[in-house]
Amino acid sequence: MTIHLPVERAQPIESAHTKDAAPAFLLGRLQDWSREKSLWPLTFGLACCAIEMMASSASKYDISRFGSELFRPSPRQADLMIVSGRVSQKMAPVLREIYDQMPDPKWVIAMGDCAACGGVFNNYAVVQGVDRIVPVDVYVPGCPPRPEALLDSLVKLQEQIGKGQRRA
């Protein structure tokens, strides 16, 4: 003998709390702010400009005031590449490979005249601007540029990130 019991349909449980987007907005804005204020540069010094880049982390200039004191040795841990110095044709594929290994979003600062346009080395062995290899967000003029110029470019890059601007 079979007994058939009435089947109750499952009703959705209504909670007293309705979801809104406020926590997601706050967490998203916090993530954007932390991305803007804590750029981790990659150690990629190629020539005399690298000395000025290293000097920017010394106590006199103190790049840590801008949240970028943590120079990373691995591209997988960095989100900012500072190309400081001249890039030779042999170094160009290595530069591109390291850039491709960096996680998104990533930014590039071309530090010095050699990185920006080849500088005084107008020959076949030097790349005439690092923007032929990787997209550049901020250029730092000078030969070699002072550490203050690098810090200024870092502030400009943080402003670009804060406004949501990307490279052209």
Side-chain angles (χ1 to χ4, degrees):
M1 173 165 150
T2 333
I3 301 174
H4 295 284
L5 298 174
V7 177
E8 293 181 22
R9 296 190 180 216
Q11 297 293 326
I13 299 172
E14 294 183 23
S15 66
H17 177 69
T18 58
K19 290 187 176 183
D20 57 0
F25 174 76
L26 290 176
L27 289 175
R29 185 60 196 131
L30 180 63
Q31 181 182 4
D32 292 342
W33 179 84
S34 62
R35 179 173 291 144
E36 170 189 346
K37 298 298 183 191
S38 65
L39 294 171
W40 289 3
L42 178 69
T43 314
F44 201 80
L46 296 169
C48 48
C49 293
I51 303 300
E52 301 297 324
M53 181 178 67
M54 288 183 257
S56 67
S57 62
S59 61
K60 184 175 181 179
Y61 303 105
D62 196 21
I63 199 169
S64 64
R65 293 178 292 157
F66 305 102
S68 297
E69 73 274 10
L70 201 56
F71 279 87
R72 304 308 301 173
S74 169
R76 291 179 180 88
Q77 300 171 347
D79 55 2
L80 170 64
M81 177 184 276
I82 303 173
V83 181
S84 56
R86 63 186 176 273
V87 180
S88 66
Q89 294 290 346
K90 286 186 175 184
M91 184 57 80
V94 175
L95 175 76
R96 183 62 198 201
E97 184 177 346
I98 290 174
Y99 176 80
D100 289 339
Q101 290 177 0
M102 292 171 61
D104 285 326
K106 51 191 165 189
W107 297 276
V108 177
I109 293 178
M111 182 177 176
D113 291 341
C114 294
C117 63
V120 297
F121 303 102
N122 189 9
N123 59 29
Y124 67 92
V126 176
V127 175
Q128 299 301 308
V130 75
D131 56 350
R132 297 178 183 207
I133 304 165
V134 295
V136 176
D137 295 295
V138 179
Y139 293 91
V140 183
C143 183
R146 300 268 312 145
E148 295 95 343
L150 177 61
L151 297 178
D152 183 56
S153 70
L154 188 64
V155 170
K156 288 179 181 173
L157 180 62
Q158 288 176 341
E159 289 172 0
Q160 285 181 6
I161 296 168
K163 292 177 184 175
Q165 296 174 348
R166 292 297 295 168
R167 58 183 82 91

